[in-house]
Amino acid sequence: MSSVVTKSAPSTKVLIRPQRGMVGLNFRELWSFRELIVFLTWRDILVRYKQTLLGGAWAILQPLLQMLLLNLLFGEVAGLPTGGVPRPLFTFAALLPWNLFSNAVSDASRSLVANRNMITKVYFPRIIVPLANVLSGVLDFAVAFLILAGMMIYYKFAPANLLLLPVYVLITLLTALGVGLWLAALNVHYRDVKYIIPFLTQFWMLASPIAYEASSIFERLPEQWQWLYALNPLVGVVEGFRQALLGVPVYSENMLWVSLASASVMLVSGLMYFRSMERTFADVV
């Protein structure tokens, strides 16, 4: 009588240790979860316009309708100058980074609460959730950029320095991630955040040079206080977009650096706060 001996496969144990440091990200761990990042990003893209009547057409209609409204208010009514650039082109070029930023911040701030079932059941780096929301906005940006390219051909504008454009897109995404991390972590503990976000984005839009020149604000401020307006990272980003695409000179390169420094502070502080609150998410959300 023969006996059959079966050998069980060696079990693999995964030990999850709390990470140290307030800012440092474990990029090796993030890379190991790259498929989850891609999956969540693609899922966010698919559900964005689900059950809407016009579907993906909103990626085009939203910035076009915003442009028409802003042109009416700031162009026809207020009569603000645009530095010799046709107003539709002037406004639409600024709406591209603004919509990328505002949509990413709004989606990322709600991301942890919206994915509470996944957060409370399995382990993965929590930063993946708001990161996927930020990345999913790039597709809408690309679609709107095609409309802008058509407008530039119509108005016979050639890109002034297209190589700088990816830099400003990256700054926009990192700034949105920094602000989104702040709001996402706060929203886990305080649901008041979801009521603050619409007001915050509207105020931030009016405080950014979307429909007017940044110089019209800088020139009204005493020289020693101009840096206060430049603390808004979107000031530098919008100015940079217009310079790269339309050749509109920035008001001051020093103010541009102030905006970039402010964006860096938002990203680092957002990472620090998110990581300090990360271990409480599964219990509170």
Side-chain angles (χ1 to χ4, degrees):
M1 181 176 181
S2 62
S3 62
V4 178
V5 178
T6 58
K7 294 183 179 179
S8 59
S11 60
T12 302
K13 294 183 179 179
V14 178
L15 181 62
I16 302 172
R17 296 179 183 275
Q19 297 176 8
R20 297 180 179 179
M22 299 290 288
V23 182
L25 287 175
N26 189 338
F27 289 102
R28 180 177 296 179
E29 185 184 40
L30 279 180
W31 177 252
S32 68
F33 282 91
R34 60 189 180 280
E35 292 182 358
L36 180 60
I37 297 175
V38 174
F39 170 78
L40 292 179
T41 302
W42 184 243
R43 184 204 61 177
D44 291 339
I45 291 173
L46 292 179
V47 303
R48 174 164 298 163
Y49 301 112
K50 190 177 181 181
Q51 293 185 331
T52 58
L53 186 62
L54 299 179
W58 281 112
I60 299 173
L61 289 175
Q62 184 184 17
L64 284 177
L65 294 175
Q66 286 176 308
M67 180 194 69
L68 293 175
L69 179 61
L70 292 174
N71 286 351
L72 175 65
L73 295 177
F74 290 88
E76 301 299 327
V77 178
L80 296 180
T82 59
V85 178
R87 176 160 285 281
L89 201 54
F90 179 86
T91 306
F92 201 86
L95 281 173
L96 257 66
W98 167 255
N99 283 336
L100 178 62
F101 171 79
S102 64
N103 291 335
V105 168
S106 298
D107 293 343
S109 62
R110 296 189 294 264
S111 60
L112 294 178
V113 175
N115 291 277
R116 62 165 66 89
N117 290 335
M118 189 168 63
I119 290 174
T120 55
K121 291 178 180 175
V122 295
Y123 170 78
F124 61 92
R126 305 312 190 207
I127 195 174
I128 286 177
V129 178
L131 177 63
N133 279 113
V134 171
L135 294 177
S136 66
V138 175
L139 182 61
D140 284 3
F141 173 85
V143 173
F145 188 82
L146 294 177
I147 303 301
L148 177 67
M151 294 173 66
M152 291 177 66
I153 294 173
Y154 176 79
Y155 287 107
K156 300 178 180 178
F157 266 77
N161 194 345
L162 206 56
L163 293 178
L164 283 176
L165 199 62
V167 177
Y168 290 114
V169 173
L170 181 61
I171 295 171
T172 305
L173 291 173
L174 293 178
T175 306
L177 180 61
V179 178
L181 290 176
W182 266 105
L183 295 177
L186 284 170
N187 195 35
V188 171
H189 291 266
Y190 310 103
R191 297 296 197 272
D192 312 67
V193 172
K194 68 179 179 182
Y195 300 105
I196 296 174
I197 290 171
F199 169 77
L200 176 67
T201 52
Q202 289 177 12
F203 175 79
W204 206 324
M205 182 179 184
L206 294 175
S208 303
I210 309 297
Y212 55 84
E213 294 177 290
S215 59
S216 62
I217 302 297
F218 280 125
E219 290 172 356
R220 292 172 185 268
L221 296 173
E223 188 175 353
Q224 66 270 25
W225 296 112
Q226 289 180 347
W227 62 272
L228 284 174
Y229 183 57
L231 285 177
N232 177 0
L234 270 297
V235 172
V237 168
V238 170
E239 287 252 278
F241 256 74
R242 287 198 180 116
Q243 182 191 42
L245 289 172
L246 308 177
V248 178
V250 298
Y251 176 76
S252 167
E253 290 190 359
N254 290 335
M255 296 300 109
L256 188 62
W257 284 111
V258 171
S259 292
L260 298 182
S262 178
S264 302
V265 171
M266 286 187 180
L267 176 62
V268 174
S269 63
L271 283 171
M272 291 178 64
Y273 183 69
F274 190 89
R275 285 179 58 80
S276 68
M277 304 297 291
E278 189 174 9
R279 65 186 61 185
T280 68
F281 291 161
D283 297 326
V284 179
V285 71

